[in-house]
Amino acid sequence: MQRVSRLQLLLCPFAEFPARSLVPTVVTFSALTSACDRGSHLGHGLRLLAEARRRDLKPDAVMLSSLIRACARGEQWEHGLHLMADALRREVQVDTVTYNATISACETGSRWQEALGLLDDMRSSALRPTVVTYGSLISTVEKGMQWESSRWEDAWCLMADMLDCKIQPSMIAFSALVTACDKGEQWARALSVLGGMEAHALKPDLVFCNAAISACQKAGQWTCGLALLDGLGGRNLQPDSITFNALIGAAERGREWQAASALLVEMRSQGLRPGVVSYNSTMQALARKGRMDLALNLLDEMTSAAIHLDTQSYRLLITECELSEALSREVDLFNTLEDISHDMHALGDRALGAASANVAAMRLLSAGCAAEAAALLAGPPRARPSAVGSGLLPVGSAEAAGSASAARLRSEGCLASLKKK
């Protein structure tokens, strides 16, 4: 037996109106359109709108709101904006719900300019914005920040305006605001949003806290990030991989290689598996402080854990090895870069593979191993790098090859001591 939807049951009596000499009203069309909205039947709703206009019926605010919401849900936000513009042009009486639905459509399309314009229209029409209005507005501005990071100020002003209007902010508004602060690299404001949220008796979730930690990461404020990590337990939250990746990134930006290494260890101790992002940030922190020996140890760990290096991993190692002036593990470095050269050719990045071969050759020449360097550059399966612009220059003097092997970083108890700084 074919299943009959609720919408079909509602439309069946409507089809019988002519036979019974009944005339549908605006209320009839509004009720049916609301059913289309709840059932995500945008096509049916638009046909009802066309039928209402054919009967010279002017759609009311309920009908328009339902249609615009359905447009936003169906990823047809532009159609929703056109419906609102057409309604205003026809002088249809719209209300706050209609404006909220249209702002929600702007949010779907990240059209923050139109959303702010609608707020001005509401005020000029003597309509009072609600908590839903402001939540959608702040979220729309936040989503539009992928093109303009300075828009965090608009989100901040909207929150201030909401508080001035004595409107209790929602979780949606606070979450969108802290994300806007994160994208705008406003770490101090992100922390104040966290405090303001708790002052309004709202409990932040892990996504919210991660956004605040991410803002600290972008500013290199790793100590503030650690404080937020400490506060998760009091909020009955458990850190995840996103939390630790942001914290390790913050330590890397702050050039705190010990903190980054300790956080990597702490991440494992909490049952989380570090990924390529975790290792890349930690290796970057180590390399910046000249600890390429420890960075190469992490490279070995990645290989043992079957974590595939990405292009950033390769570029990091090649760049830092090239900049290193005193490295005691020439042989280990050569083997690592030789593997990188092979792997990058296998991945199709021949330019990067050639660059790694050049760096390895320079190290061999520096150690007086000219024959091995020539074999590296000429031997298959690696493509021979071009002599022009390759960066391979004659080395005037040879450096002695060291034989010291670096011990792995022991971080037991290290994170606790770092938190006391």
Side-chain angles (χ1 to χ4, degrees), residues 337-358:
L337 291 178
E338 186 178 32
D339 290 340
I340 290 174
S341 181
H342 280 283
D343 291 345
M344 290 312 296
H345 280 298
L347 291 173
D349 194 337
R350 301 184 66 83
L352 190 54
S356 64
N358 284 345

Side-chain angles (χ1 to χ4, degrees), residues 30-368:
S30 295
L32 290 171
T33 307
S34 296
C36 292
D37 172 28
R38 290 191 294 273
S40 300
H41 295 286
L42 177 59
H44 285 301
L46 293 175
R47 284 191 288 273
L48 287 168
L49 174 63
E51 179 65 19
R53 286 175 174 169
R54 189 184 70 80
R55 294 171 179 269
D56 293 326
L57 295 175
K58 182 180 289 188
D60 61 6
V62 175
M63 187 174 186
L64 280 171
S65 301
S66 298
L67 284 172
I68 295 171
R69 277 195 301 268
C71 288
R73 290 194 185 110
E75 299 296 328
Q76 296 191 37
W77 56 270
E78 289 178 296
H79 202 119
L81 298 187
H82 289 316
L83 286 173
M84 182 61 164
D86 184 63
L88 295 175
R89 186 169 56 253
R90 295 170 183 261
E91 298 183 349
V92 176
Q93 190 70 31
V94 295
D95 57 13
T96 300
V97 177
T98 315
Y99 273 103
N100 288 346
T102 311
I103 292 171
S104 179
C106 292
E107 179 184 350
T108 303
S110 302
R111 302 301 292 260
W112 60 269
Q113 300 98 324
E114 287 88 342
L116 293 178
L118 287 167
L119 177 63
D120 292 337
D121 290 345
M122 287 184 72
R123 289 167 172 162
S124 64
S125 301
L127 293 174
R128 188 173 185 270
T130 65
V131 63
V132 175
T133 311
Y134 282 107
S136 294
L137 282 168
I138 296 173
S139 184
T140 304
V141 171
E142 175 264 309
K143 286 181 170 63
M145 287 181 66
Q146 55 184 310
W147 298 287
E148 296 184 59
S149 60
S150 62
R151 295 265 68 86
W152 66 267
E153 296 180 13
D154 290 325
W156 192 267
C157 290
L158 285 168
M159 177 63 80
D161 189 33
M162 178 164 49
L163 294 174
D164 288 342
C165 293
K166 309 300 182 184
I167 298 175
Q168 174 75 11
S170 64
M171 180 74 175
I172 292 174
F174 275 117
S175 296
L177 181 57
V178 77
T179 304
C181 292
D182 172 25
K183 291 181 177 179
E185 301 186 13
Q186 300 294 316
W187 67 273
R189 290 182 184 269
L191 296 181
S192 69
V193 173
L194 177 60
M197 184 178 185
E198 293 177 327
H200 282 83
L202 292 174
K203 184 179 178 181
D205 57 14
L206 185 59
V207 174
F208 186 101
C209 293
N210 281 346
I213 293 173
S214 179
C216 294
Q217 172 203 352
K218 291 181 174 69
Q221 296 291 332
W222 65 277
T223 53
C224 291
L226 284 179
L228 289 173
L229 175 65
D230 286 340
L232 291 181
R235 299 183 175 98
N236 295 319
L237 299 174
Q238 291 295 323
D240 59 7
S241 296
I242 296 174
T243 311
F244 278 102
N245 286 343
L247 287 167
I248 293 172
E252 180 263 312
R253 288 206 172 197
R255 298 181 180 273
E256 295 287 342
W257 67 270
Q258 291 171 310
S261 301
L263 284 164
L264 189 66
V265 173
E266 179 75 6
M267 186 177 184
R268 294 195 202 96
S269 71
Q270 298 208 18
L272 298 171
R273 185 174 185 266
V276 64
V277 174
S278 317
Y279 278 104
N280 281 349
S281 295
T282 308
M283 287 193 296
Q284 180 79 48
L286 292 166
R288 282 183 171 180
K289 285 295 186 178
R291 299 307 304 267
M292 278 303 299
D293 50 350
L294 298 180
L296 291 173
N297 282 346
L298 290 182
L299 176 65
D300 294 338
E301 286 185 15
M302 292 179 71
T303 304
S304 300
I307 298 174
H308 297 291
L309 279 71
D310 60 8
T311 303
Q312 182 183 348
S313 310
Y314 287 113
R315 291 190 183 280
L316 162 67
L317 288 168
I318 291 170
T319 301
E320 295 301 332
C321 291
E322 191 173 13
L323 294 175
S324 179
E325 297 179 355
L327 184 66
S328 62
R329 292 178 62 185
E330 275 80 8
V331 176
D332 288 345
L333 176 60
F334 163 71
N335 290 332
T336 300
L337 291 178
E338 186 178 32
D339 290 340
I340 290 174
S341 181
H342 280 283
D343 291 345
M344 290 312 296
H345 280 298
L347 291 173
D349 194 337
R350 301 184 66 83
L352 190 54
S356 64
N358 284 345
V359 176
M362 290 177 68
R363 300 299 297 176
L364 288 168
L365 286 171
S366 178

